[in-house]
């Protein structure tokens, strides 16, 4: 689900970036794409963490490492 959401946020950000969408909600009327990019970036980093955890689980289950507990520091 996180990967699907990340892909959707990428498309959402690119659409806003290319069209230069503004908020239209105030007199300031800021551009919206930097905020949408931060949403995308956050979910992209969460996706990378998910991949890292998956690799860690596979390594443990295949016997390549005995370490399962998180490291200190």
């Amino acid at each position: 689900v996180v990967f699907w959401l990340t892909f959707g946020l990428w498309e959402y950000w690119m659409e806003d970036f290319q069209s230069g969408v503004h908020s239209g909600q105030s007199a300031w009327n800021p551009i919206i794409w930097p905020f949408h990019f931060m949403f995308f970036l956050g979910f992209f980093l969460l996706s990378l963490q998910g991949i890292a955890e998956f690799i860690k689980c596979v390594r443990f289950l295949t016997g390549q490492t005995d370490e399962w507990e998180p490291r200190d520091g």
Side-chain angles (χ1 to χ4, degrees):
V1 173
V2 173
F3 297 110
W4 170 73
L5 187 57
T6 303
F7 180 72
L9 285 170
W10 169 261
E11 290 179 348
Y12 194 51
W13 171 71
M14 283 301 294
E15 184 178 304
D16 287 351
F17 181 73
Q18 291 172 350
S19 64
V21 173
H22 292 266
S23 72
Q25 299 294 319
S26 69
W28 178 36
N29 203 19
I31 54 175
I32 296 298
W33 68 263
F35 302 105
H36 290 171
F37 179 73
M38 289 298 124
F39 286 130
F40 161 72
L41 183 63
F43 276 93
F44 177 73
L45 293 174
L46 182 63
S47 298
L48 290 180
Q49 180 65 36
I51 292 169
E53 290 295 325
F54 177 76
I55 291 171
K56 180 177 151 183
C57 290
V58 169
R59 287 189 51 162
F60 179 76
L61 292 174
T62 58
Q64 294 178 1
T65 183
D66 293 332
E67 185 176 324
W68 179 256
E69 296 297 322
R71 297 180 186 164
D72 293 334

